[in-house]
Amino acid sequence: ANVPYRHPEDIADLFSFKKFTTVNVADYSAAQLKGMLAVANDRERLYVYLGLNCGYYASDIGNIRRDEIVATADGGHAIIRKRDKTSHQNDFEAMHVLWDETYKLLVEQTAKRNEYGLALLNDAGHPLYRHDEHGKYNGIGHAHARLLAKAAKKGVASLAFKQLRK
């Protein structure tokens, strides 16, 4: 599906906030991020890109549906969806225009059609993020922990997954 999209001319006025609380975000360098990505496999790199590109948490990544990945009118690609964590209080969908690198990895890693309708599944064909009678499963968190361990062995400073979306 082609999604017509343009930035409004008055975008600065639309997104100028007067009173807001600042968030204490730890700095990290491009070298740190490059070092971490250098030791990542494609799936780990995809999770990092989705965190950076879209500001997604693990639950957001684990719940991306195949039908939420769309083509834009300008030939690019985007994910259009409600945010899982706040969908109960927001009635809108967010559009995240994907970087070429993010889209390429997403296409490569997308699961074949499946009963869940999800874009990404684990190696066993199950959702990457779920709550069920057995508890909570966070495959994205497990993959990021493996990435951090690999980075530490190479002497690369690590970044918590939540830090990526800042």
Side-chain angles (χ1 to χ4, degrees):
N2 272 339
V3 178
Y5 173 78
R6 67 168 185 77
H7 283 294
E9 292 173 12
D10 58 347
I11 195 163
D13 295 331
L14 288 171
F15 293 101
S16 63
F17 300 101
K18 299 294 180 218
K19 295 180 181 176
F20 61 92
T21 305
T22 59
V23 177
N24 186 13
V25 178
D27 289 334
Y28 62 88
S29 69
Q32 247 181 311
L33 187 58
K34 286 179 185 179
M36 197 169 81
L37 288 170
V39 299
N41 64 33
D42 285 346
R43 181 56 76 108
E44 294 161 345
R45 192 173 297 111
L46 173 61
Y47 298 155
V48 170
Y49 285 171
L50 287 168
L52 290 168
N53 188 168
C54 303
Y56 284 164
Y57 286 115
S59 62
D60 297 313
I61 294 170
N63 290 310
I64 297 170
R65 301 188 57 76
R66 293 173 59 92
D67 60 359
E68 294 170 336
I69 305 165
V70 299
T72 58
D74 65 358
H77 296 89
I79 297 174
I80 300 178
R81 65 193 313 259
K82 284 187 173 188
R83 183 163 180 254
D84 292 315
K85 192 172 180 180
T86 58
S87 62
H88 65 285
Q89 65 192 30
N90 294 324
D91 194 30
F92 60 86
E93 294 178 322
M95 177 173 152
H96 295 280
V97 176
L98 297 173
W99 302 329
D100 292 340
E101 300 89 341
T102 307
Y103 180 71
K104 179 180 180 281
L105 284 172
L106 186 56
V107 167
E108 290 172 5
Q109 297 292 321
T110 295
K112 304 226 181 300
R113 299 218 180 270
N114 59 77
E115 64 185 282
Y116 310 104
L118 297 173
L120 301 168
L121 299 174
N122 68 13
D123 290 339
H126 300 294
L128 288 166
Y129 192 90
R130 60 187 183 272
H131 293 277
D132 58 24
E133 66 276 2
H134 305 293
K136 181 175 158 182
Y137 174 76
N138 181 354
I140 296 100
H142 295 297
H144 195 71
R146 286 190 302 274
L147 173 57
L148 297 183
K150 287 191 294 189
K153 282 184 181 178
K154 298 279 187 178
V156 176
S158 56
L159 300 170
F161 195 81
K162 284 176 107 170
Q163 183 68 19
L164 299 173
R165 65 182 307 274
K166 308 294 188 199

